[in-house]
Amino acid sequence: MRNFIPALASTAAALFAGHAEAVAANPLPKPANITWGTAGAFSVGTLSLKAPDHDVLQDGFARATEAFSELNWIPQATEAPARKFEAFPTPTGTASKAKRQYGNYTGSLTSVNVQIADTRAALQHGVDESYTLEIAPGSSSIEITAETVYGALHAFTTLQQIVINDGSNKLIVEAPVSIQDAPLYPVRGIMVDSGRNFISKKKMFEQIDGMALSKLNVLHWHMVDAQSWPLEIKAYPQMTEDAYSPNEVYTHATISAIVKYAAARGIRILPEVDMPGHANSGWKQVDRGMMACIDSWWSNDNWATHTAVEPNPGQLDILNNKTYEVTGKVYKELAGLFPDSWFHIGGDELHMNCYNFSTAISSFFASGKTMGDLVQHWVDTAIPNFRAQANKTLVMWEDVVISPDAAASGLVPKDVVLQAWNNGLENIYNLTRDGYRVIVSSADFMYLDCGYGGWVSNDPRYNVQTNPNKTDGTPNFNYGAGGGSWCAPYKTWQRIYDYDFTQGLSAAQKQLVQGAIAPLWSEQVDDTVISGKMWPRAAALAELVWSGNRDATGAKRTTELTQRILNFREYLVASGVGAAPLMPKFCLQNPHECDLFLDQAALHTA
């Protein structure tokens, strides 16, 4: 039994005589089922916890109660109908805002009772995350049930968002409430790329904090890439010679600290070492002979001979036996550091031109073999080799099955989970049709790095002083088009939330969709900007994969999300997560006055 936060006075009276919409609290993600009563508010007193003795549970409760005690949160954006406007052409309207009034309280909450069916459930793919939370009229206790401690953590997170300050420094829950909640998908995540630019442990923790608050549960960590190798490998200590500096290295101790911090918040870490493409730094310190094209020009100015999509080039030589010895040892060491039963081995963006720099592979192609045959050799050799080191579920980018240039020519095992990033619904459909489990990361909807322009230097495309298409208005590189961002435009929170990624799938195909991960590639990301580029847009994904983007009638609820995500952004900032603003603060304070359409049902037929 642990006690937290000072007691607050309890008195009796009704708060609301109206409907559930009267409450200010608006937790994100929206629970699957939440029903507010009308009997009146509760003051929140000194909360004691009655629950199984479990460190994750006790620590989660301590974080939640500390948060609402220290933040003393007053919701910054609350839901209300759009105000009435005078008919055109009169330019002004009549405000309909009313200050929320809190009266006396019908009871005082003093305890949290938690029942958990299985306290030993491991934090692995598919762990039950459901929970219920009940505050009955007249009760002094908050009743929580969950199948596992991870469901209970989510209950604490919801509680954290519905305990608010009444405006006079008193903590309250506004009305009796009944919540039955569970996620739609077992994979709900973001991707952090520390290979292009280093991301500090502090900022990794910050992303994990944002994830926990929004009930995301998978941190896909793209740890290394061609540009740098910031990862300590004791089997090959020379690999970190290709870190950007000695201070920009993830030691075993650092990795363990990040894994522990995430696990305490119910978050799995899915590590990725991208192979055999995107390979240069680190690997070449072990044996340059197992590398291809690392000294070539990446050739963007002569695309027919390009060896990579971006500098710097390099790929592992698939026909060199040393490749499998080294990758096997690296995988084995990392598999021991990351307890998750899944491991990502990359597999994207292989380029045939790069392998023209390998004598063995050039002879392979000269014998009539194809790029698909080469990729199949990697699949047939690398996957059994990895599984012999540590038998985990392997995740790969979709390219290995569906790339028009570098898909394997034969069978890729159906127990490999594929991450879909190209061609939106089409690739999701094709992969699930073929029986593969899929993680959705469609670039057209979920790439958080898109729309910031290009980053390669010495680029004459920007040296244009007048619009060459001024007459007809056709978009071009510097005028209305991507400006060097291959996946432009910027993916707004609405774009993310509106994605119906199971559209057109059969029931059987839908069962194969494991969820979604929003990647943030780091060519233009480091500690100074990562949180603003990640948050609060990732929270739109969080609700999409937790409870969906439609209401009980099947109508899209994107407009309903507006005030919820604006408030959540403020909550993130107050909690130490550097989330970017989505709109002028005027929009936050004046519900729906920044909508494009006054018709609140404009999205309902979408």
Side-chain angles (χ1 to χ4, degrees):
M1 188 110 28
R2 299 188 182 185
N3 297 325
F4 296 92
I5 77 171
L8 295 168
S10 169
T11 54
L15 175 60
F16 300 115
H19 0 136
E21 291 90 324
V23 299
N26 195 1
L28 187 153
K30 184 174 184 176
N33 189 340
I34 180 169
T35 304
W36 289 95
T38 57
F42 300 84
S43 68
V44 179
T46 302
L47 288 181
S48 62
L49 176 65
K50 182 179 180 182
D53 187 13
H54 193 291
D55 287 346
V56 168
L57 194 65
Q58 304 286 345
D59 292 346
F61 180 73
R63 285 193 304 273
T65 52
E66 180 182 21
F68 56 68
S69 177
E70 291 189 355
L71 294 181
N72 231 355
W73 181 249
I74 299 175
Q76 299 297 293
T78 54
E79 186 53 79
R83 70 182 176 95
K84 303 296 183 183
F85 292 86
E86 293 184 24
F88 184 84
T90 306
T92 60
T94 303
S96 61
K97 291 171 61 179
K99 187 173 181 180
R100 202 172 293 272
Q101 298 293 323
Y102 295 100
N104 296 325
Y105 307 122
T106 60
S108 178
L109 298 172
T110 59
S111 65
V112 178
N113 300 325
V114 180
Q115 298 180 39
I116 296 175
D118 181 5
T119 58
R120 297 186 178 184
L123 181 60
Q124 295 292 352
H125 177 70
V127 67
D128 193 304
E129 298 174 89
S130 64
Y131 71 91
T132 68
L133 189 155
E134 302 279 341
I135 304 176
S139 176
S140 63
S141 67
I142 300 162
E143 302 294 332
I144 292 171
T145 67
E147 289 297 311
T148 71
V149 295
Y150 305 106
L153 286 182
H154 294 318
F156 293 158
T157 300
T158 300
L159 178 64
Q160 191 174 324
Q161 293 188 53
I162 66 173
V163 173
I164 66 171
N165 182 336
D166 70 352
S168 63
N169 265 349
K170 294 180 180 177
L171 294 179
I172 65 169
V173 173
E174 296 164 273
V177 65
S178 175
I179 299 172
Q180 300 81 41
D181 205 8
L184 290 173
Y185 295 97
V187 173
R188 309 179 309 279
I190 56 174
M191 191 208 77
V192 171
D193 169 14
S194 59
R196 274 54 179 256
N197 280 304
F198 186 79
I199 308 298
S200 70
K201 181 176 75 170
K202 177 182 177 182
K203 285 295 175 178
M204 293 290 283
F205 283 2
E206 190 173 318
Q207 307 322 302
I208 292 167
D209 289 341
M211 293 177 70
L213 288 172
S214 55
K215 298 184 175 71
L216 292 172
N217 70 336
V218 176
L219 175 58
H220 173 182
W221 187 0
H222 183 90
M223 295 184 288
V224 300
D225 214 285
Q227 291 87 350
S228 78
W229 187 280
L231 198 58
E232 178 189 20
I233 300 294
K234 293 193 174 182
Y236 302 108
Q238 67 270 37
M239 296 183 85
T240 53
E241 292 177 22
D242 285 336
Y244 288 129
S245 76
N247 293 326
E248 294 169 290
V249 172
Y250 302 106
T251 65
H252 282 205
T254 302
I255 291 169
S256 295
I258 293 170
V259 169
K260 181 179 179 181
Y261 192 87
R265 288 153 182 79
I267 293 166
R268 303 162 49 206
I269 294 188
L270 172 61
E272 181 192 354
V273 175
D274 203 351
M275 303 173 279
H278 289 272
N280 182 314
S281 296
W283 302 110
K284 72 174 184 274
Q285 297 294 341
V286 179
D287 188 343
R288 295 178 69 88
M290 67 179 192
M291 309 303 300
C293 80
I294 57 174
D295 293 318
S296 70
W297 175 245
W298 71 286
S299 296
N300 195 38
D301 51 354
N302 183 9
W303 192 245
T305 60
H306 75 284
T307 55
V309 292
E310 65 180 44
N312 50 335
Q315 294 174 180
L316 294 168
D317 191 326
I318 290 172
L319 297 183
N320 188 320
N321 289 335
K322 184 75 170 180
T323 294
Y324 302 98
E325 175 190 331
V326 175
T327 57
K329 288 183 178 179
V330 169
Y331 170 81
K332 182 177 182 179
E333 185 168 325
L334 292 174
L337 289 174
F338 291 93
D340 201 80
S341 61
W342 286 21
F343 197 105
H344 202 309
I345 57 171
D348 64 322
E349 295 185 322
L350 277 175
H351 296 280
M352 186 171 180
N353 286 343
C354 177
Y355 284 130
N356 289 328
F357 290 82
S358 164
T359 302
I361 295 177
S362 294
S363 297
F364 181 84
F365 290 149
S367 72
K369 301 288 188 179
T370 66
M371 186 67 176
D373 296 329
L374 183 66
V375 175
Q376 189 65 50
H377 183 83
W378 169 258
V379 168
D380 293 342
T381 309
I383 289 178
N385 184 46
F386 292 141
R387 287 179 169 160
Q389 311 302 321
N391 190 18
K392 299 199 175 202
T393 295
L394 299 178
V395 183
M396 300 182 76
W397 295 103
E398 64 177 22
D399 308 46
V400 69
V401 167
I402 212 168
S403 167
D405 304 313
S409 58
L411 177 67
V412 175
K414 291 295 173 69
D415 59 358
V416 171
V417 179
L418 297 176
Q419 193 164 1
W421 65 281
N422 267 312
N423 299 324
L425 297 174
E426 179 183 348
N427 281 15
I428 297 167
Y429 179 89
N430 290 337
L431 292 168
T432 55
R433 175 203 60 201
D434 293 341
Y436 289 99
R437 288 180 291 170
V438 169
I439 297 169
V440 176
S441 295
S442 303
D444 290 340
F445 291 85
M446 293 182 175
Y447 270 31
L448 301 179
D449 53 295
C450 298
Y452 289 95
W455 58 272
V456 292
S457 50
N458 194 33
D459 189 341
R461 294 174 296 176
Y462 296 104
N463 188 26
V464 177
Q465 311 307 315
T466 59
N467 186 352
N469 297 340
K470 182 178 180 180
T471 302
D472 64 17
T474 303
N476 58 77
F477 189 85
N478 291 298
Y479 297 88
S485 172
W486 72 271
C487 55
Y490 178 90
K491 313 308 174 197
T492 69
W493 65 270
Q494 294 180 82
R495 177 66 172 168
I496 296 165
Y497 191 70
D498 280 337
Y499 191 17
D500 296 322
F501 53 78
T502 61
Q503 180 178 302
L505 302 186
S506 68
Q509 287 175 285
K510 289 178 181 179
Q511 289 297 314
L512 292 170
V513 176
Q514 303 300 294
I517 291 173
L520 178 60
W521 299 102
S522 73
E523 287 90 346
Q524 295 175 290
V525 174
D526 64 9
D527 273 13
T528 60
V529 299
I530 183 172
S531 294
K533 289 189 174 184
M534 188 75 78
W535 302 101
R537 289 184 296 159
L541 175 76
E543 179 161 310
L544 175 65
V545 289
W546 181 274
S547 55
N549 61 11
R550 295 180 183 271
D551 64 21
T553 70
K556 278 225 170 140
R557 64 185 191 199
T558 314
T559 301
E560 176 197 318
L561 176 62
T562 304
Q563 292 300 102
R564 186 156 56 247
I565 198 168
L566 292 178
N567 180 67
F568 190 71
R569 182 264 170 175
E570 302 300 315
Y571 194 83
L572 287 169
V573 172
S575 301
V577 179
L582 296 175
M583 297 179 179
K585 201 165 188 176
F586 168 87
C587 310
L588 178 152
Q589 295 176 343
N590 296 274
H592 300 295
E593 294 205 28
C594 298
D595 291 356
L596 180 62
F597 287 90
L598 182 57
D599 177 8
Q600 296 296 289
L603 270 161
H604 285 189
T605 58

